[in-house]
Amino acid sequence: MADTAPPNKRVARTTCYMCACRCGIDVHLENDVVRYIGGNRDHPVNKGVLCAKGSAGIMQHYSPARLKKPLKRVGERGEGKFEEIEWEEALSTATEWLARTRASDPKKLAFFTGRDQSQSFTSLWAQQYGTPNYAAHGGFCSVNMAAAGIYTMGGAFWEFGSPDWERAKLFLIFGVAEDHDSNPIKMGMAKLKERGARIISVNPIRTGYSAIADQWLGVRPGTDGLLILALIHQILKAGHIDIDYLRRYSNAGWLVIDHPGQADNGLFLRDADGAEMVRDRKTGQAVPARGADADLRGRVDLGDGRSARPVFELIAETYLDQKYAPENAAEETGISADTIRNVAAEIGRVAFEEAIEIKQQWTDVNGETHDSFKGRPVAFHAMRGISAHSNGFQTCRALHLLQLLIGAVDCPGGFRFKPPYPKPLDAHPKPTGVSAGHQVVGTILPNQPLGGPHLGFPRGPEDMLVDDDGKAVRIDKAFSWDAPLSAHGMMHMVIANAYNCDPYPIDILFMYMANMSWNSTMNTAETMEMLSAKDTATGDYVIPKIIYSDAYQSEMTAYADLILPDTTYLERHDCISLLDRPIGEPDTVADAIRWPVVKPDRDVRGFQSVLVDLASRLGLPGFIAENGAPAYRDYADYMINHQRRPGVGPLAGFRGANGDGGGRGEPNPDQIDRYIENGGFWSEEIPEDAQFFKFANQNYQDFAVEKGFFDKPSPVTFQLYLEPLQKFRLAAEGHGDSQPPEHRRQAVADAFSPLPIWYPPFEGEAVAEGDFPLHALTQRPMAMYHSWGSQNAWLRQIHTANALYVPDAICDEMDLADGDLVDVVSHHARIRVPIQRMRAVNGSTVWTWNAIGKRKGAWRLDPDAPEAEKGFLLNHLIRELLPDDGSGQRVANSDPITGQAAWFDLRIRLEKVDDQENARTEPRFDAQDAAPGSKETPDMQAHHPTRPVRT
């Protein structure tokens, strides 16, 4: 009799990994084969909505580019020649290399990861190993956004908060490409449109979000900060300032010492106990700020030759200056003076004439009870477009200042924090560059853990990671005078610094999911040479060992000596933790997991579990139990049983013996099962009286302590004036024990203004404008994320090649038609690419999609794939160093404050190619070999047929 049993069908709920939104997904399986991926309607992030990327996760999971076994290099670096080995050999080899370096000089391990979403764990691993050289991708992504937000208001855009989509009446979006937070933004903008709210987009390029905005401001790249300060100029002139909000919740009233040329100039006036002082409105005397009725203007004579003035008076004096008037900003920004005035007027009108109120009693941290939450319904959102410039930190600060001046942060209708944010600066660690138990920065001892976390937020020069000679402790020079506040590290500088042995050579470069030989690096061609360079005297590689882990055969795998193959996101455990990058909403605290909804059909292992194994083999503290056995079986066991503090672990949900605790509680052995039963996530609604004004809401602070965000209430006072920056500026003026070297002194003095400023991007100032008159930008399309999408059979039907989009006027001037090839020339390099005319772009700007162009042989694409034959990268044109200024010093092409990679400062010129018929895109590189064992999966192609890929 024939088998009539129904097919084995099930739905597994987990978390998407096709971008950083981390939506909930329903994975439909039949006989353990993935047939369909849809959105989880119960999930707090996407509520069932899923984008093309999320649905196409099937093709990511079954990609022919998946690695199948551990590999060791048998050819030269860059060729891609490997042989398969067993896991024991791979792990023994890695352990031998890592143990040798740890026993001699742990800092010679450089461990850097990409967008892995488990950075609280990978950071702990590196800390216990003992190397100061750890960071993730944030330094070349959006550290300016994160750091500016943390220093100013305790949180930032993107994963730290969200616009109030339900109540905002005016939404301004700055520099956001379509790959960022795409589901929530699309859903939110739909709500705004339904309610008739207005959307204004500031972006040199009008695609995606900008295309559906009610008004598009095609700003000149790198001038967003000047535009924002011109808006501030106008709202100050109009008096559209929430004085009560500033007086209560910011440092607007704090007194700043006026003592030119002296070591205390520009610092806050404090009493003997260290409390900040304000000018009392009744007496005019300086009194402690807490509980005082602060005056926002008026000078206080301190009686010793010094005086002090409130922060707000300095703000008014600074930004009412005519240099910030719309007519003076118009030419630089490309936005007309009338437009600037009109937008400022609209911000002020909506904030103050259309203010909203939610009747809900709440109590602030000073014990005062309020009858309602009052809101300014103007919401802002911004991302890499304003962040990835050498002036990005100050631009992000300027945008936060604008929000705060109108009282539109964490109120109804404005930008709202997601738990566990906001957090004050003193709730964040300082960076560590010393072995445990030691005090002298740079003291890195064999076989000793690091004394604290690698990354953090310096409060002044005393917190930098430089030795007694001023030399950087870290290989990327983070937290040195190159970039004192580099809170996410400087991953884009690691390979170049290691190649140049500056500040020292390394033994091992260990990377995870970081395509640093291609689209995640500047100066691509030379970076590939650096990775494969040999010492001419010894014949050894300059970077002796490279260990790399990834799920796929990327461009970077070709340069590894040892490859540890990762699983796909449907085959492993992951933790989307409150300790790392939360997924909650302004009204909800939440976290989530991924779990193996299918078993790997290859000999691969989840990277986090591999790290757990390596940690036990190396005997790293915290990964070994008292009896000497491994403390954790694998990453899932770590997720359940690790505690960062008593009762606080990677997962906040279903804690305690019965699994009924949330936030704090003892480990629950059934915790992951409870997450799976609940759809892969845990969430809890914030009490109604705690949902707004979290920075000063006692009810929220108590909730935060209960859930383990803090161990004690930690309200935030908004920092309009940022004293840590002034401390660095004073050092540049010659004060204090730690001072910048001469070649950095002027840069620090110029950039580290405690009030937001604008200065032109560095590359544009370093080259002759007539030689390089155009700006060149990249952005990622909605269908792609990093470089992963170009191997995806479904997503490739949307993008298989890219063109350089050129304004019509430039095309007319150069007699260019669609498809013509041009040479794009920067101060550093030259590439040859096809163009396409475009009207909706700033007139001095050209741009293209990033992450489309591929190296031949990578990602298991056909040899003649359009991505390799026609696609290209602008990365080839961007150097990690600024043009030589004659000083002979290597200066990073980065923000001087945070080290954010200045991707969008690129200046170029176009040259039409004469022989259009015979020309091809350039540059071209030798093809890398396919990884052993990787092959097509025809059964999956049959189950999920695709149309022929468009060329």
Side-chain angles (χ1 to χ4, degrees), residues 561-573:
D561 302 307
L562 179 66
I563 296 177
L564 308 176
D566 192 18
T567 64
T568 75
Y569 71 105
L570 298 180
E571 298 170 324
R572 68 165 176 258
H573 284 97

Side-chain angles (χ1 to χ4, degrees), residues 238-360:
H240 286 145
I241 308 296
D242 193 331
I243 295 296
D244 184 63
Y245 183 94
L246 295 177
R247 182 177 284 119
R248 288 176 179 273
Y249 307 129
S250 80
N251 67 355
W254 292 6
L255 290 169
V256 177
I257 297 169
D258 186 4
H259 199 197
Q262 302 304 309
D264 59 353
N265 185 52
L267 302 181
F268 292 131
L269 180 66
R270 291 178 169 87
D271 67 10
D273 296 323
E276 296 84 4
M277 309 283 278
V278 298
R279 184 179 189 273
D280 184 81
R281 292 176 73 189
K282 292 182 180 178
T283 67
Q285 299 300 307
V287 298
R290 186 172 178 83
D293 186 9
D295 204 340
L296 300 189
R297 61 181 182 179
R299 186 180 294 271
V300 175
D301 187 345
L302 302 181
D304 57 2
R306 302 180 302 158
S307 63
R309 292 193 291 164
V311 165
F312 186 76
E313 184 170 293
L314 299 179
I315 288 172
E317 181 181 276
T318 299
Y319 302 118
L320 285 173
D321 190 290
Q322 278 300 110
K323 72 178 180 180
Y324 295 116
E327 45 275 354
N328 290 327
E331 182 176 355
E332 192 77 58
T333 62
I335 308 301
S336 73
D338 283 344
T339 298
I340 296 172
R341 278 190 284 266
N342 290 339
V343 170
E346 187 172 6
I347 292 171
R349 179 184 60 77
V350 174
F352 292 93
E353 296 179 21
E354 299 187 30
I356 57 179
E357 189 172 10
I358 296 176
K359 294 294 184 181
Q360 169 65 57

Side-chain angles (χ1 to χ4, degrees), residues 689-747:
D689 61 359
Q691 292 181 0
F692 298 97
F693 294 85
K694 298 181 183 75
F695 52 85
N697 186 323
Q698 188 61 55
N699 311 299
Y700 175 78
Q701 293 292 318
D702 293 341
F703 175 82
V705 171
E706 176 189 338
K707 297 303 172 190
F709 307 161
F710 323 120
D711 289 331
K712 62 179 181 180
S714 301
V716 176
T717 299
F718 297 139
Q719 299 295 299
L720 311 181
Y721 181 102
L722 194 54
E723 188 182 54
L725 293 185
Q726 180 63 14
K727 291 180 180 179
F728 284 99
R729 179 177 267 186
L730 288 170
E733 293 174 2
H735 300 290
D737 296 330
S738 180
Q739 295 178 25
E742 286 307 312
H743 76 279
R744 297 299 293 163
R745 192 175 294 274
Q746 193 59 50

Side-chain angles (χ1 to χ4, degrees), residues 592-913:
I593 66 166
R594 296 186 189 92
W595 57 283
V597 302
V598 290
K599 293 181 179 179
D601 60 357
R602 310 161 319 287
D603 192 11
V604 297
R605 300 181 184 180
F607 177 66
Q608 291 85 354
S609 288
V610 169
L611 280 186
V612 170
D613 191 338
L614 288 173
S616 63
R617 291 169 183 250
L618 290 165
L620 301 188
F623 289 91
I624 298 295
E626 290 183 4
N627 63 2
Y632 309 107
R633 291 188 310 275
D634 53 22
Y635 187 51
D637 193 28
Y638 172 93
M639 287 162 57
I640 293 171
N641 290 304
H642 174 72
Q643 295 189 76
R644 193 55 55 95
R645 309 192 307 276
V648 176
L651 292 171
F654 311 109
R655 299 192 68 82
N658 299 319
D660 54 3
R664 294 181 187 268
E666 294 303 307
N668 168 20
D670 299 321
Q671 187 180 35
I672 288 179
D673 291 338
R674 292 290 300 275
Y675 271 85
I676 293 172
E677 292 168 7
N678 197 55
F681 70 93
W682 165 82
S683 66
E684 184 174 323
E685 189 170 346
I686 300 171
E688 290 186 357
D689 61 359
Q691 292 181 0
F692 298 97
F693 294 85
K694 298 181 183 75
F695 52 85
N697 186 323
Q698 188 61 55
N699 311 299
Y700 175 78
Q701 293 292 318
D702 293 341
F703 175 82
V705 171
E706 176 189 338
K707 297 303 172 190
F709 307 161
F710 323 120
D711 289 331
K712 62 179 181 180
S714 301
V716 176
T717 299
F718 297 139
Q719 299 295 299
L720 311 181
Y721 181 102
L722 194 54
E723 188 182 54
L725 293 185
Q726 180 63 14
K727 291 180 180 179
F728 284 99
R729 179 177 267 186
L730 288 170
E733 293 174 2
H735 300 290
D737 296 330
S738 180
Q739 295 178 25
E742 286 307 312
H743 76 279
R744 297 299 293 163
R745 192 175 294 274
Q746 193 59 50
V748 173
D750 291 343
F752 281 66
S753 168
L755 290 177
I757 57 172
W758 179 82
Y759 50 86
F762 293 156
E763 181 169 322
E765 294 297 285
V767 300
E769 185 170 356
D771 292 340
F772 304 100
L774 301 177
H775 301 264
L777 302 177
T778 62
Q779 62 177 11
R780 290 198 177 94
M782 199 172 285
M784 299 289 176
Y785 184 67
H786 288 224
S787 51
W788 304 338
S790 289
Q791 63 175 312
N792 189 299
W794 289 359
L795 297 179
R796 289 185 68 227
Q797 297 175 73
I798 303 173
H799 299 280
T800 57
N802 52 320
L804 186 72
Y805 294 95
V806 180
D808 276 359
I810 296 174
C811 289
D812 291 342
E813 180 184 339
M814 297 182 64
D815 191 26
L816 294 173
D818 286 355
D820 282 352
L821 290 173
V822 297
D823 283 348
V824 188
V825 186
S826 73
H827 77 91
H828 171 59
R830 169 186 298 261
I831 62 175
R832 181 164 291 177
V833 306
I835 71 101
Q836 189 167 326
R837 299 171 70 102
M838 185 176 183
R839 293 181 182 176
V841 61
N842 173 276
S844 63
T845 303
V846 299
W847 72 279
T848 191
W849 296 119
N850 191 25
I852 306 298
K854 291 287 173 281
R855 181 180 171 186
K856 190 181 288 291
W859 303 98
R860 291 295 293 168
L861 297 174
D862 290 339
D864 60 348
E867 289 89 343
E869 285 293 311
K870 299 180 180 180
F872 64 91
L873 296 174
L874 287 187
N875 305 48
H876 302 305
L877 301 174
I878 308 171
R879 196 167 185 225
E880 76 279 0
L881 301 176
L882 288 170
D884 188 357
D885 62 0
S887 68
Q889 301 290 334
R890 300 172 71 243
V891 178
N893 184 13
S894 308
D895 188 296
I897 300 173
T898 65
Q900 161 89 55
W903 295 101
F904 298 156
D905 285 359
L906 178 61
R907 298 293 291 269
I908 59 98
R909 68 173 180 268
L910 300 181
E911 298 175 358
K912 186 175 180 179
V913 174

